[in-house]
Amino acid sequence: MEQYFVNKVIENNRFVIEDSETFKHVAKVLRHKPGDVIYLVDPEQNLFTATIERITDDKIETSVNKLATPSTELPIDVTIACSLSKKDKIEWITQKSTELGAKKIIFFSSKYSIMTWKKNVIEKKLIRLQEIAKNAAQQSKRRIVPQVVYVNKLTDLVDHKAQSNLVAYEESAKQGEISLLAQTLNQNPNSILCAFGPEGGFAPDEINFLNKSDFLSVGLGPRIMRAETAPMYFLSVLSYKYELTVK
Amino acid sequence: MEQYFVNKVIENNRFVIEDSETFKHVAKVLRHKPGDVIYLVDPEQNLFTATIERITDDKIETSVNKLATPSTELPIDVTIACSLSKKDKIEWITQKSTELGAKKIIFFSSKYSIMTWKKNVIEKKLIRLQEIAKNAAQQSKRRIVPQVVYVNKLTDLVDHKAQSNLVAYEESAKQGEISLLAQTLNQNPNSILCAFGPEGGFAPDEINFLNKSDFLSVGLGPRIMRAETAPMYFLSVLSYKYELTVK
């Protein structure tokens, strides 16, 4: 059964879907009929079943029922910050990070990034990525849509700092650093941010800047991962740690 | 510095690269010159630096030096078995699973798979996937190339059983199963296999068959992951458990 986000708080047992995109998907693409049931999630992260009662030219009238199902959100606020790469990789990172539970996804430009976003395309690109995040969040039955953000300079990452801040650093892994990620997670921070460099890695002065700004360099194991694989590794580990190994 | 697999055991301090594909990549694509250094890994999983001494029309003569660098292989033999999906997803699973340390990657046809491979294309498809695995293994600096296998029927999966056998099952996750993966990993098996269903999931009789064949149904957290995301989650968790939280 598919899920849709609605942009109004659902306060009683009736709800009218007026958002044109959701209307189109439910009524035209999937051709739902009265009697069919879908899930709705409102801005307060509540989940409802909605039974379709009537479909007009541009609205869907439903009767709704609040569910007590536990939230599907990670019990820790996770931000991943990834250096810019090609369009398909960025879209892929957005989709997969959403499935894996990220709350915020930041893209930034760094020295060895192969890409940069010109000022006049940023808004358009973010709208597209936000749309991908919304669709992935609906598909993976999340209660929120992660926020997709662009920061123009690595130094602006500090504006998004969490309680724990990490940078995945290949050189740390090469030097055999294998314990700092687990140590950090054992401290049970409320929020965590991890920065990931481009295919060519961070420049030494970028790592220096991040370390001085309290981003701890951590290794993610002995194999070299592509730039888009490392954030998936990180998010999977967070889920395992906080959702599957609860004591 | 890039790495290549060679198909002969390196026994003394000289090695001649005769494999046409490696020759082409080193001499023609990357245009290496005498004096340049590359990594070679031999069939006994030993890692060498190889200094290029002479490049002929079809051979590269090198002087080699064995390195004591620790292996990059996971300390547990991991097989992932994935239901068939579209070509690009299968290629993607092969590449990412290789980066994340899988030793064997099995594709199989199941009831709700959207694809099937006809007999006459299997060999060709496996050659292509094996090539993707080799390139990804070289790029991620692994010591072996994972084996890519196709089994025609889900029931044939039992021929590939490991010490621990799991099936990632959405229904288990929905019912709140959150501890069996961690319990299994805590038993420190030597080898582990996990089966992943297609987008539409396994059919009930398929799950019954797997459970009866000692595949334990495990949940991988509360969010619904796409078919290609779940194996990445699993492999990342194994790396964290066995490579980053060593006591």
Side-chain angles (χ1 to χ4, degrees), chain A residues 71-74 89 92 95-96 98-102 135-136 139-142 177-183 185-186 199 219-230 232-237 239-241 243-246, chain B residues 71-74 89 92 95-96 98-102 135-136 139-142 177-183 185-186 199 219-230 232-237 239-241 243-246:
Chain A
S71 176
T72 53
E73 291 301 316
L74 268 167
K89 294 216 169 177
W92 185 89
Q95 184 193 69
K96 294 291 169 246
T98 301
E99 285 177 58
L100 292 167
N135 290 334
Q139 181 146 15
S140 57
K141 304 279 196 286
R142 289 193 55 179
E177 193 296 290
I178 57 167
S179 57
L180 289 176
L181 177 61
Q183 280 176 38
L185 300 189
N186 284 340
E199 223 54 72
L220 298 182
R223 290 169 299 284
I224 312 287
M225 286 182 276
R226 281 169 202 252
E228 76 274 17
T229 313
M232 308 308 117
Y233 180 104
F234 177 73
L235 289 164
S236 302
V237 163
S239 166
Y240 179 70
K241 174 72 182 170
E243 296 180 320
L244 299 188
T245 53
V246 183
Chain B
S71 176
T72 53
E73 292 301 316
L74 268 168
K89 294 216 168 176
W92 185 90
Q95 184 193 69
K96 294 290 169 247
T98 301
E99 284 177 60
L100 292 167
N135 290 335
Q139 182 146 15
S140 57
K141 303 278 195 286
R142 290 193 54 179
E177 193 298 288
I178 58 167
S179 58
L180 289 175
L181 177 61
Q183 281 176 35
L185 300 189
N186 284 340
E199 222 55 71
L220 298 182
R223 290 168 299 285
I224 312 288
M225 286 182 275
R226 280 170 202 253
E228 74 274 17
T229 312
M232 308 308 117
Y233 180 104
F234 178 73
L235 289 163
S236 302
V237 164
S239 166
Y240 179 70
K241 173 72 182 171
E243 297 180 319
L244 298 188
T245 53
V246 183

Side-chain angles (χ1 to χ4, degrees), chain A residues 23 43 48 56 87 89 99 103 126 151-152 158 226 233:
Chain A
F23 172 84
F48 302 81
T56 69
K87 179 170 172 261
K89 294 216 169 177
E99 285 177 58
K103 280 239 166 49
L126 286 177
V151 303
N152 193 39
V158 296
R226 281 169 202 252
Y233 180 104

Side-chain angles (χ1 to χ4, degrees), chain B residues 35-96:
Chain B
D36 288 357
V37 184
I38 56 178
Y39 287 124
L40 298 180
V41 170
D42 79 359
E44 291 185 346
Q45 302 186 29
N46 289 312
L47 174 68
F48 303 81
T49 53
T51 307
I52 297 172
E53 301 209 320
R54 208 163 76 95
I55 301 179
T56 68
D57 283 350
D58 57 355
K59 288 188 185 66
I60 301 166
E61 298 169 16
T62 69
S63 65
V64 297
N65 188 22
K66 189 169 166 176
L67 298 176
T69 322
S71 176
T72 53
E73 292 301 316
L74 268 168
I76 173 174
D77 281 5
V78 189
T79 301
I80 60 155
C82 303
S83 182
L84 277 188
S85 50
K86 280 187 219 157
K87 180 169 172 264
D88 58 336
K89 294 216 168 176
I90 286 176
E91 294 188 354
W92 185 90
I93 288 171
T94 303
Q95 184 193 69
K96 294 290 169 247

Side-chain angles (χ1 to χ4, degrees), chain A residues 71-114:
Chain A
S71 176
T72 53
E73 291 301 316
L74 268 167
I76 173 174
D77 280 5
V78 189
T79 301
I80 60 157
C82 303
S83 183
L84 276 188
S85 50
K86 282 187 220 156
K87 179 170 172 261
D88 58 336
K89 294 216 169 177
I90 287 177
E91 294 188 353
W92 185 89
I93 289 171
T94 303
Q95 184 193 69
K96 294 291 169 246
S97 304
T98 301
E99 285 177 58
L100 292 167
K103 280 239 166 49
K104 199 195 285 184
I105 303 162
I106 303 175
F107 292 104
F108 61 88
S109 187
S110 67
K111 268 195 187 162
Y112 303 153
S113 297
I114 53 165

